[in-house]
Amino acid sequence: MFIGERLADLRKDRGLRQKELADKLGVKEKTISAYENDITAPSDRVQEEIARLFDISLDYLHGLINEEVTYNREWYVALPRGCPTGLKKELEEYLEFLLYKHKIRKK
């Protein structure tokens, strides 16, 4: 199970204690510990809340991808492995420009 490791990393990266995360998710602190140690798995509802809270995809939470893709996305472009890291940012900026341009032409 990959969820526990990812959850612990996400929590620590955001500077949250287990108790703080438990309060945000509406569970007990020992439940967070059990999730992070892969003793139990969060329910689907809790997994969705984790994804919303940390703004990550469920694929990332489950370890299916290694990029923290936003949960709140209208569109997503995946780049092939090995692309320079700056290329994604440049592509996102260009797509934003195209969307803006498209909206202007519609008026």
Side-chain angles (χ1 to χ4, degrees), residues 44-79:
D44 290 345
R45 181 196 65 77
V46 173
Q47 288 180 37
E48 188 174 339
E49 287 301 314
I50 291 168
R52 281 191 184 127
L53 177 66
F54 292 113
D55 192 23
I56 55 154
S57 69
L58 289 169
D59 287 341
Y60 179 78
L61 181 63
H62 284 267
L64 299 174
I65 61 174
N66 290 320
E67 181 182 355
E68 287 188 36
V69 176
T70 180
Y71 179 83
N72 301 310
R73 62 189 182 275
E74 292 182 23
W75 50 269
Y76 173 72
V77 176
L79 297 176

Side-chain angles (χ1 to χ4, degrees), residues 66-100:
N66 290 320
E67 181 182 355
E68 287 188 36
V69 176
T70 180
Y71 179 83
N72 301 310
R73 62 189 182 275
E74 292 182 23
W75 50 269
Y76 173 72
V77 176
L79 297 176
R81 287 188 174 108
C83 284
T85 54
L87 184 61
K88 179 179 179 191
K89 180 71 175 158
E90 188 177 342
L91 181 58
E92 288 173 347
E93 289 171 357
Y94 185 64
L95 285 171
E96 286 295 328
F97 165 73
L98 290 175
L99 291 171
Y100 174 78

